[in-house]
Amino acid sequence: MKQLNKTRSLGMRTLAVHGGQQPDAQTGAVATPITASSAFSYPDFDSGARRFSGEEPGYMYSRFANPTVTVFEQKLAALEGAETSVACASGMAAISATLFALLVPGDEIIHVGTLYGGTEGVVRNLLPRYGIKPVHVANVGELESAFTKNTKVVLVETPANPGLDIADLAEIARLSKAAGAISVVDNTFATPYLTRPLALGIDIVLHSATKYISGHGDATGGVVAGSAALITPIRTLSLKQFGGCLSPFEASLLIRGLKTLPLRVEASSLSAQAVAEFLDSHNAVETVFYPGLPEHPGHAIAARQMKLFGGIMAIELKGGLNAARTFLDKLNIITQAVSLGDTDSLACHPASTTHSAVAPEVRRQSGITDGLVRISIGIEDTDDLIADLEQALEGL
């Protein structure tokens, strides 16, 4: 059985391929087998009792744990530099399980900046039903004064969806620890290839694995990583009580996705930089929101905590809603669809899609206007993407 080198730190591409897995012990299969079984036998009555009580390791039921899912969890944990991780059925399952496992009635959660529309719904609408108070701050500069004795969790996305706001993760970690709060970062846009929040002092990192981790638009999942002490209650709630387990078939696709994650993210990030620079010079574009541009407010922080600046950007079109509609409908290579992080470049209108359920005043506060378009750059040839964008912008 092969062993990873324990004497030196392995590179991200090596971890993506080899982390968390071994050739199958029975067959020697290099690719992780899909264990399509809902239940697992145990040798005898007492062994079954010990497994269910947690005294003895072993698989029992795929809602609790599955060998294929375990490999995905171990590979993701290796990439994030985490002690452990738990896989969930979707990114929203990961968010929901994390927040409900960490918070109880009377607690407060501070959410920083803009969040994905589904996450906004959980924080602003669902948590208050259970006596949990959400507190919003616009940026990290407002965070310290927002802490109270009831603050339990600080939640942030960076880069944020859809406006690409950048938050200083090291500063969030410092302030949260000083206040006795648990810091949680949605790392979906950056991926562990670009940013490792745990290395910056953050307590918990999570992903919509549907996005870059899958990378091919063919799997849905979520994952949460951190210390065993923090992840164990999330695992118990997510899998045993909420039932939001990841299918072994989806896990197999996500394992495949992680193997090529560094290559895909690097390719899309390099293309995105060139695309952003092109859009920044176009007369029909009011503003380009991309942290790789020097004028972006978070450029300096992003340069410190990101390897590259990522494959996602947003643009504000001068013509507002009508210009956004025309632009999106004229795209040929770039596909008009929600989601992001695929091999295919995608574009959408957040105000009418991903953030349509967010209250209009909250959208305005977050800069989600009718003229805002989010673009996820895939792995196509950069020149072809720029040509497609150029023709779609013509006449606006």
Side-chain angles (χ1 to χ4, degrees), residues 26 45 57 158 165 210 292 312 326-327 330 332 339 390:
Q26 287 189 315
F45 181 96
T158 189
D165 298 329
T210 312
I312 316 293
T326 301
F327 168 73
K330 286 174 67 178
N332 293 319
S339 200
E390 188 171 30

Tab-separated table of all heavy atoms in Angstrom, residues 26 45 57 158 165 210 292 312 326-327 330 332 339 390:
chain	number	residue	atom	x	y	z
A	26	GLN	N	-8.959	-4.837	-1.971
A	26	GLN	CA	-9.360	-6.151	-2.499
A	26	GLN	C	-8.976	-6.345	-3.953
A	26	GLN	O	-8.509	-7.408	-4.345
A	26	GLN	CB	-10.870	-6.329	-2.339
A	26	GLN	CG	-11.314	-6.568	-0.894
A	26	GLN	CD	-12.785	-6.944	-0.815
A	26	GLN	OE1	-13.621	-6.332	-1.465
A	26	GLN	NE2	-13.080	-7.952	-0.019
A	45	PHE	N	-23.642	-9.754	17.048
A	45	PHE	CA	-24.528	-8.876	17.807
A	45	PHE	C	-23.745	-7.799	18.559
A	45	PHE	O	-24.053	-6.602	18.472
A	45	PHE	CB	-25.324	-9.739	18.796
A	45	PHE	CG	-26.295	-8.962	19.640
A	45	PHE	CD1	-27.628	-8.857	19.296
A	45	PHE	CD2	-25.868	-8.335	20.811
A	45	PHE	CE1	-28.519	-8.145	20.080
A	45	PHE	CE2	-26.751	-7.612	21.602
A	45	PHE	CZ	-28.082	-7.526	21.234
A	57	PRO	N	-14.991	1.221	15.368
A	57	PRO	CA	-15.148	1.769	14.023
A	57	PRO	C	-15.785	0.749	13.085
A	57	PRO	O	-15.747	-0.454	13.324
A	57	PRO	CB	-13.709	2.079	13.611
A	57	PRO	CG	-12.879	1.094	14.384
A	57	PRO	CD	-13.588	0.927	15.703
A	158	THR	N	-15.864	34.755	0.991
A	158	THR	CA	-14.873	35.572	0.296
A	158	THR	C	-14.145	34.723	-0.738
A	158	THR	O	-13.698	33.620	-0.409
A	158	THR	CB	-13.877	36.228	1.284
A	158	THR	OG1	-13.086	37.169	0.577
A	158	THR	CG2	-12.988	35.223	1.987
A	165	ASP	N	-16.782	40.822	-3.205
A	165	ASP	CA	-16.175	41.520	-2.080
A	165	ASP	C	-15.134	40.605	-1.431
A	165	ASP	O	-15.310	39.377	-1.373
A	165	ASP	CB	-17.238	41.886	-1.041
A	165	ASP	CG	-18.282	42.836	-1.609
A	165	ASP	OD1	-17.934	43.629	-2.494
A	165	ASP	OD2	-19.442	42.761	-1.170
A	210	THR	N	-20.835	21.451	-5.425
A	210	THR	CA	-21.460	21.469	-6.745
A	210	THR	C	-20.672	22.323	-7.717
A	210	THR	O	-20.727	22.089	-8.927
A	210	THR	CB	-22.885	22.051	-6.623
A	210	THR	OG1	-23.559	21.401	-5.544
A	210	THR	CG2	-23.677	21.906	-7.896
A	292	GLY	N	-8.699	40.821	-9.061
A	292	GLY	CA	-7.418	40.903	-9.740
A	292	GLY	C	-7.131	42.250	-10.360
A	292	GLY	O	-6.002	42.496	-10.798
A	312	ILE	N	-14.228	34.010	-11.152
A	312	ILE	CA	-15.547	34.630	-11.116
A	312	ILE	C	-15.402	36.146	-11.124
A	312	ILE	O	-14.503	36.701	-10.485
A	312	ILE	CB	-16.335	34.235	-9.845
A	312	ILE	CG1	-16.204	32.743	-9.576
A	312	ILE	CG2	-17.801	34.653	-9.954
A	312	ILE	CD1	-16.846	31.860	-10.582
A	326	THR	N	-30.179	42.013	-22.946
A	326	THR	CA	-29.652	41.928	-24.310
A	326	THR	C	-28.293	41.243	-24.338
A	326	THR	O	-28.026	40.370	-25.173
A	326	THR	CB	-29.533	43.341	-24.918
A	326	THR	OG1	-30.829	43.949	-24.929
A	326	THR	CG2	-28.989	43.290	-26.332
A	327	PHE	N	-27.431	41.648	-23.434
A	327	PHE	CA	-26.082	41.078	-23.359
A	327	PHE	C	-26.135	39.569	-23.142
A	327	PHE	O	-25.489	38.800	-23.873
A	327	PHE	CB	-25.320	41.766	-22.227
A	327	PHE	CG	-24.032	41.102	-21.843
A	327	PHE	CD1	-22.919	41.173	-22.662
A	327	PHE	CD2	-23.918	40.406	-20.631
A	327	PHE	CE1	-21.720	40.559	-22.306
A	327	PHE	CE2	-22.733	39.796	-20.275
A	327	PHE	CZ	-21.632	39.874	-21.112
A	330	LYS	N	-27.364	37.501	-26.111
A	330	LYS	CA	-26.491	37.486	-27.291
A	330	LYS	C	-25.274	36.573	-27.131
A	330	LYS	O	-24.568	36.307	-28.109
A	330	LYS	CB	-26.019	38.912	-27.607
A	330	LYS	CG	-27.106	39.797	-28.218
A	330	LYS	CD	-26.619	41.232	-28.363
A	330	LYS	CE	-25.512	41.368	-29.390
A	330	LYS	NZ	-25.085	42.784	-29.564
A	332	ASN	N	-22.876	33.449	-26.997
A	332	ASN	CA	-22.886	32.189	-27.743
A	332	ASN	C	-22.075	31.094	-27.052
A	332	ASN	O	-22.586	30.024	-26.758
A	332	ASN	CB	-22.346	32.416	-29.164
A	332	ASN	CG	-23.270	33.290	-29.987
A	332	ASN	OD1	-24.494	33.144	-29.932
A	332	ASN	ND2	-22.695	34.217	-30.757
A	339	SER	N	-25.221	28.710	-11.276
A	339	SER	CA	-24.079	27.891	-10.873
A	339	SER	C	-22.807	28.530	-11.407
A	339	SER	O	-22.816	29.572	-12.090
A	339	SER	CB	-24.192	26.429	-11.304
A	339	SER	OG	-23.330	25.637	-10.515
A	390	GLU	N	-17.205	40.413	-26.556
A	390	GLU	CA	-17.155	41.627	-27.381
A	390	GLU	C	-18.377	41.748	-28.279
A	390	GLU	O	-18.986	42.814	-28.385
A	390	GLU	CB	-15.868	41.637	-28.194
A	390	GLU	CG	-15.623	42.936	-28.944
A	390	GLU	CD	-14.235	42.982	-29.559
A	390	GLU	OE1	-13.691	41.914	-29.907
A	390	GLU	OE2	-13.688	44.095	-29.687
